[in-house]
Amino acid sequence: MKNTYLTSYLPILSILMFSLTFSVYGVGVFETLSKKIGVYAGMSEFLSEMQLKLAILVLLMMIFFMILSALKLIAETINGISMLFFSIDSEGELYNKVRPGSMIYFIGGLVSVLSLQSFKGLIGIFVLTSVVYFFYFVNKISSSLTKAGILGVVSMQLFSWAALILTIFFVLIKLYNGLMASLPIISEVKL
């Protein structure tokens, strides 16, 4: 059976799997950090330990779900714009060619379960999954591109993602420095 919509549910499952694995790791980090700063005991007076962990897990899952959904939306937009500028396909057949690539992220989400205790492992699996998908994407659309088109797609992808990541990095650094400068009591707490 060959149906183009057969794998249409995989992106949501992939986002849920990555959100769950990042959130499970985040619960442990939150618990450790809140115990060090003395907040955990106060929170555990209102909720049992299991309820507290579950509430934090749900909250972190929603945050990671929103972040990963936004990244998927940005990726789809960058892919569409790069195909608009550099592809000779005007019928949208390329989208049908790359649609099964969502299986790559689904497999990556399943593999990320193996690395629940390592942040570097989770990030590494996500980045490796994204790189594998990028090569799959370029390979699938290369039949509808000239050599200059392939170079244009790759350049646009690399430039767009580098600009986004660097912008977010610099904003986070600026926010962190501003927070540390405005809260002198934080500098006295040993984390």
Side-chain angles (χ1 to χ4, degrees):
M1 180 171 114
K2 185 169 173 81
N3 189 338
T4 188
Y5 303 108
L6 189 61
T7 59
S8 61
Y9 61 91
L10 289 179
I12 190 78
L13 291 180
S14 304
I15 290 172
L16 285 171
M17 289 299 297
F18 276 114
S19 297
L20 179 64
T21 54
F22 281 115
S23 299
V24 168
Y25 178 80
V27 167
V29 169
F30 180 82
E31 183 180 3
T32 304
L33 184 64
S34 61
K35 283 181 180 176
K36 283 184 180 179
I37 61 175
V39 178
Y40 192 79
M43 289 189 302
S44 61
E45 289 178 7
F46 298 104
L47 298 170
S48 70
E49 187 173 343
M50 183 59 81
Q51 290 173 333
L52 185 59
K53 286 182 178 181
L54 186 61
I56 295 167
L57 179 72
V58 169
L59 179 67
L60 288 175
M61 269 196 75
M62 287 191 307
I63 291 169
F64 283 116
F65 185 85
M66 288 186 280
I67 291 170
L68 292 173
S69 296
L71 287 175
K72 181 182 180 344
L73 179 64
I74 292 168
E76 289 288 326
T77 303
I78 293 171
N79 289 346
I81 290 172
S82 63
M83 287 190 284
L84 171 69
F85 288 148
F86 302 107
S87 172
I88 57 176
D89 172 42
S90 61
E91 300 297 320
E93 294 174 13
L94 290 179
Y95 270 122
N96 289 334
K97 282 185 176 181
V98 298
R99 191 173 292 180
S102 59
M103 183 66 78
I104 295 169
Y105 274 102
F106 180 69
I107 292 169
L110 291 176
V111 171
S112 70
V113 173
L114 302 175
S115 186
L116 284 175
Q117 301 301 318
S118 170
F119 184 70
K120 289 180 183 176
L122 289 172
I123 292 293
I125 290 169
F126 184 74
V127 169
L128 180 66
T129 303
S130 298
V131 168
V132 168
Y133 179 80
F134 174 71
F135 283 115
Y136 172 83
F137 174 77
V138 171
N139 183 39
K140 283 295 187 180
I141 67 169
S142 63
S143 63
S144 298
L145 300 174
T146 62
K147 288 184 181 182
I150 293 172
L151 182 63
V153 166
V154 170
S155 299
M156 185 171 185
Q157 294 275 339
L158 293 177
F159 175 76
S160 299
W161 286 110
L164 178 70
I165 290 168
L166 287 174
T167 302
I168 291 171
F169 178 73
F170 286 124
V171 166
L172 289 176
I173 294 270
K174 187 76 172 166
L175 285 173
Y176 176 78
N177 288 337
L179 179 68
M180 290 313 217
S182 68
L183 298 172
I185 195 164
I186 295 290
S187 63
E188 296 174 11
V189 176
K190 301 277 187 196
L191 297 178

mmCIF file of all heavy atoms in Angstrom, residues 152-182:
data_model
loop_
_atom_site.group_PDB
_atom_site.id
_atom_site.type_symbol
_atom_site.label_atom_id
_atom_site.label_comp_id
_atom_site.label_asym_id
_atom_site.label_seq_id
_atom_site.Cartn_x
_atom_site.Cartn_y
_atom_site.Cartn_z
ATOM 1 N N GLY A 152 22.941 26.441 -3.559
ATOM 2 C CA GLY A 152 22.073 27.478 -3.004
ATOM 3 C C GLY A 152 21.233 26.974 -1.845
ATOM 4 O O GLY A 152 21.098 27.648 -0.824
ATOM 5 N N VAL A 153 20.653 25.775 -1.994
ATOM 6 C CA VAL A 153 19.834 25.191 -0.926
ATOM 7 C C VAL A 153 20.683 24.946 0.322
ATOM 8 O O VAL A 153 20.302 25.309 1.437
ATOM 9 C CB VAL A 153 19.161 23.882 -1.393
ATOM 10 C CG1 VAL A 153 18.596 23.101 -0.217
ATOM 11 C CG2 VAL A 153 18.069 24.173 -2.402
ATOM 12 N N VAL A 154 21.847 24.335 0.125
ATOM 13 C CA VAL A 154 22.729 24.038 1.260
ATOM 14 C C VAL A 154 23.173 25.337 1.934
ATOM 15 O O VAL A 154 23.148 25.458 3.161
ATOM 16 C CB VAL A 154 23.932 23.185 0.810
ATOM 17 C CG1 VAL A 154 24.972 23.069 1.913
ATOM 18 C CG2 VAL A 154 23.470 21.807 0.362
ATOM 19 N N SER A 155 23.559 26.325 1.132
ATOM 20 C CA SER A 155 24.004 27.607 1.694
ATOM 21 C C SER A 155 22.881 28.297 2.451
ATOM 22 O O SER A 155 23.095 28.835 3.546
ATOM 23 C CB SER A 155 24.508 28.526 0.590
ATOM 24 O OG SER A 155 25.604 27.960 -0.064
ATOM 25 N N MET A 156 21.695 28.290 1.883
ATOM 26 C CA MET A 156 20.571 28.941 2.549
ATOM 27 C C MET A 156 20.226 28.245 3.861
ATOM 28 O O MET A 156 19.939 28.901 4.871
ATOM 29 C CB MET A 156 19.353 28.964 1.637
ATOM 30 C CG MET A 156 18.201 29.718 2.221
ATOM 31 S SD MET A 156 16.925 29.932 0.995
ATOM 32 C CE MET A 156 15.809 30.962 1.895
ATOM 33 N N GLN A 157 20.248 26.922 3.848
ATOM 34 C CA GLN A 157 19.966 26.168 5.071
ATOM 35 C C GLN A 157 21.001 26.487 6.147
ATOM 36 O O GLN A 157 20.650 26.786 7.289
ATOM 37 C CB GLN A 157 19.983 24.660 4.780
ATOM 38 C CG GLN A 157 18.891 24.176 3.881
ATOM 39 C CD GLN A 157 17.608 23.885 4.623
ATOM 40 O OE1 GLN A 157 17.606 23.671 5.815
ATOM 41 N NE2 GLN A 157 16.509 23.883 3.894
ATOM 42 N N LEU A 158 22.274 26.404 5.779
ATOM 43 C CA LEU A 158 23.336 26.655 6.753
ATOM 44 C C LEU A 158 23.297 28.091 7.275
ATOM 45 O O LEU A 158 23.425 28.328 8.482
ATOM 46 C CB LEU A 158 24.703 26.341 6.148
ATOM 47 C CG LEU A 158 24.974 24.876 5.834
ATOM 48 C CD1 LEU A 158 26.334 24.710 5.169
ATOM 49 C CD2 LEU A 158 24.891 24.029 7.091
ATOM 50 N N PHE A 159 23.105 29.051 6.392
ATOM 51 C CA PHE A 159 23.057 30.449 6.810
ATOM 52 C C PHE A 159 21.859 30.706 7.720
ATOM 53 O O PHE A 159 21.980 31.377 8.754
ATOM 54 C CB PHE A 159 23.008 31.378 5.594
ATOM 55 C CG PHE A 159 22.845 32.819 5.967
ATOM 56 C CD1 PHE A 159 23.909 33.554 6.475
ATOM 57 C CD2 PHE A 159 21.610 33.438 5.828
ATOM 58 C CE1 PHE A 159 23.744 34.880 6.838
ATOM 59 C CE2 PHE A 159 21.440 34.766 6.184
ATOM 60 C CZ PHE A 159 22.506 35.487 6.701
ATOM 61 N N SER A 160 20.695 30.200 7.343
ATOM 62 C CA SER A 160 19.481 30.448 8.128
ATOM 63 C C SER A 160 19.596 29.862 9.531
ATOM 64 O O SER A 160 19.288 30.525 10.529
ATOM 65 C CB SER A 160 18.259 29.854 7.425
ATOM 66 O OG SER A 160 18.077 30.430 6.163
ATOM 67 N N TRP A 161 20.037 28.605 9.616
ATOM 68 C CA TRP A 161 20.148 27.973 10.934
ATOM 69 C C TRP A 161 21.258 28.594 11.769
ATOM 70 O O TRP A 161 21.112 28.771 12.984
ATOM 71 C CB TRP A 161 20.336 26.472 10.798
ATOM 72 C CG TRP A 161 19.059 25.799 10.408
ATOM 73 C CD1 TRP A 161 18.770 25.214 9.213
ATOM 74 C CD2 TRP A 161 17.877 25.684 11.204
ATOM 75 N NE1 TRP A 161 17.478 24.733 9.234
ATOM 76 C CE2 TRP A 161 16.914 25.007 10.442
ATOM 77 C CE3 TRP A 161 17.538 26.091 12.492
ATOM 78 C CZ2 TRP A 161 15.642 24.722 10.927
ATOM 79 C CZ3 TRP A 161 16.261 25.797 12.972
ATOM 80 C CH2 TRP A 161 15.336 25.125 12.196
ATOM 81 N N ALA A 162 22.364 28.944 11.140
ATOM 82 C CA ALA A 162 23.452 29.588 11.882
ATOM 83 C C ALA A 162 22.994 30.940 12.423
ATOM 84 O O ALA A 162 23.270 31.280 13.582
ATOM 85 C CB ALA A 162 24.677 29.751 10.994
ATOM 86 N N ALA A 163 22.280 31.710 11.614
ATOM 87 C CA ALA A 163 21.787 33.020 12.064
ATOM 88 C C ALA A 163 20.799 32.862 13.217
ATOM 89 O O ALA A 163 20.870 33.595 14.210
ATOM 90 C CB ALA A 163 21.136 33.759 10.901
ATOM 91 N N LEU A 164 19.907 31.882 13.122
ATOM 92 C CA LEU A 164 18.930 31.653 14.181
ATOM 93 C C LEU A 164 19.607 31.225 15.477
ATOM 94 O O LEU A 164 19.319 31.765 16.558
ATOM 95 C CB LEU A 164 17.913 30.603 13.739
ATOM 96 C CG LEU A 164 16.852 30.238 14.772
ATOM 97 C CD1 LEU A 164 15.886 31.397 14.970
ATOM 98 C CD2 LEU A 164 16.112 28.986 14.364
ATOM 99 N N ILE A 165 20.515 30.271 15.384
ATOM 100 C CA ILE A 165 21.184 29.759 16.581
ATOM 101 C C ILE A 165 22.054 30.831 17.228
ATOM 102 O O ILE A 165 22.036 31.002 18.458
ATOM 103 C CB ILE A 165 22.008 28.496 16.232
ATOM 104 C CG1 ILE A 165 21.059 27.338 15.915
ATOM 105 C CG2 ILE A 165 22.947 28.120 17.373
ATOM 106 C CD1 ILE A 165 21.708 26.137 15.297
ATOM 107 N N LEU A 166 22.789 31.579 16.431
ATOM 108 C CA LEU A 166 23.629 32.646 16.990
ATOM 109 C C LEU A 166 22.790 33.756 17.622
ATOM 110 O O LEU A 166 23.147 34.279 18.681
ATOM 111 C CB LEU A 166 24.551 33.221 15.922
ATOM 112 C CG LEU A 166 25.721 32.336 15.510
ATOM 113 C CD1 LEU A 166 26.483 32.956 14.350
ATOM 114 C CD2 LEU A 166 26.651 32.094 16.683
ATOM 115 N N THR A 167 21.674 34.098 17.009
ATOM 116 C CA THR A 167 20.794 35.113 17.582
ATOM 117 C C THR A 167 20.259 34.667 18.935
ATOM 118 O O THR A 167 20.289 35.426 19.915
ATOM 119 C CB THR A 167 19.623 35.424 16.630
ATOM 120 O OG1 THR A 167 20.146 35.853 15.373
ATOM 121 C CG2 THR A 167 18.705 36.480 17.206
ATOM 122 N N ILE A 168 19.774 33.429 19.005
ATOM 123 C CA ILE A 168 19.256 32.906 20.269
ATOM 124 C C ILE A 168 20.367 32.845 21.314
ATOM 125 O O ILE A 168 20.166 33.212 22.480
ATOM 126 C CB ILE A 168 18.611 31.524 20.052
ATOM 127 C CG1 ILE A 168 17.326 31.676 19.246
ATOM 128 C CG2 ILE A 168 18.334 30.831 21.385
ATOM 129 C CD1 ILE A 168 16.718 30.381 18.791
ATOM 130 N N PHE A 169 21.550 32.409 20.915
ATOM 131 C CA PHE A 169 22.685 32.324 21.840
ATOM 132 C C PHE A 169 23.029 33.693 22.418
ATOM 133 O O PHE A 169 23.188 33.845 23.634
ATOM 134 C CB PHE A 169 23.898 31.717 21.115
ATOM 135 C CG PHE A 169 25.126 31.638 21.959
ATOM 136 C CD1 PHE A 169 25.228 30.700 22.971
ATOM 137 C CD2 PHE A 169 26.185 32.508 21.743
ATOM 138 C CE1 PHE A 169 26.362 30.631 23.754
ATOM 139 C CE2 PHE A 169 27.320 32.448 22.521
ATOM 140 C CZ PHE A 169 27.414 31.496 23.534
ATOM 141 N N PHE A 170 23.123 34.708 21.565
ATOM 142 C CA PHE A 170 23.476 36.037 22.046
ATOM 143 C C PHE A 170 22.370 36.649 22.912
ATOM 144 O O PHE A 170 22.652 37.350 23.881
ATOM 145 C CB PHE A 170 23.854 36.960 20.893
ATOM 146 C CG PHE A 170 25.202 36.655 20.317
ATOM 147 C CD1 PHE A 170 25.351 36.385 18.969
ATOM 148 C CD2 PHE A 170 26.331 36.624 21.123
ATOM 149 C CE1 PHE A 170 26.597 36.083 18.439
ATOM 150 C CE2 PHE A 170 27.579 36.324 20.601
ATOM 151 C CZ PHE A 170 27.715 36.061 19.253
ATOM 152 N N VAL A 171 21.106 36.380 22.584
ATOM 153 C CA VAL A 171 20.008 36.868 23.418
ATOM 154 C C VAL A 171 20.053 36.208 24.793
ATOM 155 O O VAL A 171 19.876 36.874 25.827
ATOM 156 C CB VAL A 171 18.645 36.636 22.722
ATOM 157 C CG1 VAL A 171 17.492 36.815 23.685
ATOM 158 C CG2 VAL A 171 18.499 37.560 21.532
ATOM 159 N N LEU A 172 20.307 34.897 24.832
ATOM 160 C CA LEU A 172 20.401 34.200 26.117
ATOM 161 C C LEU A 172 21.570 34.708 26.948
ATOM 162 O O LEU A 172 21.441 34.870 28.172
ATOM 163 C CB LEU A 172 20.509 32.689 25.900
ATOM 164 C CG LEU A 172 19.244 32.000 25.412
ATOM 165 C CD1 LEU A 172 19.509 30.527 25.148
ATOM 166 C CD2 LEU A 172 18.109 32.167 26.411
ATOM 167 N N ILE A 173 22.703 34.960 26.307
ATOM 168 C CA ILE A 173 23.858 35.509 27.027
ATOM 169 C C ILE A 173 23.509 36.881 27.600
ATOM 170 O O ILE A 173 23.827 37.186 28.750
ATOM 171 C CB ILE A 173 25.087 35.626 26.088
ATOM 172 C CG1 ILE A 173 25.547 34.254 25.659
ATOM 173 C CG2 ILE A 173 26.204 36.430 26.710
ATOM 174 C CD1 ILE A 173 26.564 33.616 26.546
ATOM 175 N N LYS A 174 22.859 37.706 26.803
ATOM 176 C CA LYS A 174 22.473 39.048 27.246
ATOM 177 C C LYS A 174 21.494 38.967 28.412
ATOM 178 O O LYS A 174 21.634 39.699 29.406
ATOM 179 C CB LYS A 174 21.865 39.816 26.072
ATOM 180 C CG LYS A 174 21.584 41.238 26.342
ATOM 181 C CD LYS A 174 22.845 42.047 26.336
ATOM 182 C CE LYS A 174 22.490 43.520 26.415
ATOM 183 N NZ LYS A 174 23.615 44.344 26.743
ATOM 184 N N LEU A 175 20.495 38.086 28.324
ATOM 185 C CA LEU A 175 19.535 37.917 29.414
ATOM 186 C C LEU A 175 20.212 37.396 30.676
ATOM 187 O O LEU A 175 19.925 37.871 31.784
ATOM 188 C CB LEU A 175 18.421 36.958 28.987
ATOM 189 C CG LEU A 175 17.380 37.498 28.033
ATOM 190 C CD1 LEU A 175 16.452 36.390 27.572
ATOM 191 C CD2 LEU A 175 16.590 38.607 28.691
ATOM 192 N N TYR A 176 21.099 36.440 30.523
ATOM 193 C CA TYR A 176 21.819 35.880 31.673
ATOM 194 C C TYR A 176 22.662 36.952 32.358
ATOM 195 O O TYR A 176 22.627 37.090 33.583
ATOM 196 C CB TYR A 176 22.694 34.709 31.220
ATOM 197 C CG TYR A 176 23.541 34.140 32.326
ATOM 198 C CD1 TYR A 176 22.987 33.290 33.277
ATOM 199 C CD2 TYR A 176 24.893 34.456 32.432
ATOM 200 C CE1 TYR A 176 23.751 32.765 34.297
ATOM 201 C CE2 TYR A 176 25.678 33.935 33.452
ATOM 202 C CZ TYR A 176 25.098 33.091 34.380
ATOM 203 O OH TYR A 176 25.862 32.581 35.389
ATOM 204 N N ASN A 177 23.399 37.716 31.577
ATOM 205 C CA ASN A 177 24.232 38.776 32.159
ATOM 206 C C ASN A 177 23.377 39.845 32.830
ATOM 207 O O ASN A 177 23.733 40.343 33.901
ATOM 208 C CB ASN A 177 25.126 39.405 31.093
ATOM 209 C CG ASN A 177 26.245 38.483 30.673
ATOM 210 O OD1 ASN A 177 26.633 37.586 31.420
ATOM 211 N ND2 ASN A 177 26.759 38.690 29.476
ATOM 212 N N GLY A 178 22.264 40.199 32.230
ATOM 213 C CA GLY A 178 21.369 41.173 32.834
ATOM 214 C C GLY A 178 20.762 40.668 34.133
ATOM 215 O O GLY A 178 20.641 41.408 35.113
ATOM 216 N N LEU A 179 20.388 39.388 34.157
ATOM 217 C CA LEU A 179 19.832 38.787 35.367
ATOM 218 C C LEU A 179 20.863 38.744 36.479
ATOM 219 O O LEU A 179 20.579 39.093 37.621
ATOM 220 C CB LEU A 179 19.307 37.380 35.065
ATOM 221 C CG LEU A 179 18.709 36.622 36.235
ATOM 222 C CD1 LEU A 179 17.403 37.281 36.669
ATOM 223 C CD2 LEU A 179 18.472 35.176 35.866
ATOM 224 N N MET A 180 22.065 38.341 36.157
ATOM 225 C CA MET A 180 23.113 38.263 37.169
ATOM 226 C C MET A 180 23.499 39.644 37.692
ATOM 227 O O MET A 180 23.791 39.799 38.871
ATOM 228 C CB MET A 180 24.353 37.555 36.608
ATOM 229 C CG MET A 180 24.112 36.086 36.400
ATOM 230 S SD MET A 180 23.336 35.374 37.846
ATOM 231 C CE MET A 180 24.083 33.822 37.923
ATOM 232 N N ALA A 181 23.464 40.641 36.841
ATOM 233 C CA ALA A 181 23.810 41.995 37.270
ATOM 234 C C ALA A 181 22.721 42.592 38.157
ATOM 235 O O ALA A 181 23.015 43.365 39.065
ATOM 236 C CB ALA A 181 24.037 42.885 36.060
ATOM 237 N N SER A 182 21.457 42.212 37.928
ATOM 238 C CA SER A 182 20.364 42.802 38.696
ATOM 239 C C SER A 182 20.074 42.069 40.000
ATOM 240 O O SER A 182 19.384 42.602 40.856
ATOM 241 C CB SER A 182 19.100 42.856 37.846
ATOM 242 O OG SER A 182 18.637 41.547 37.603
#
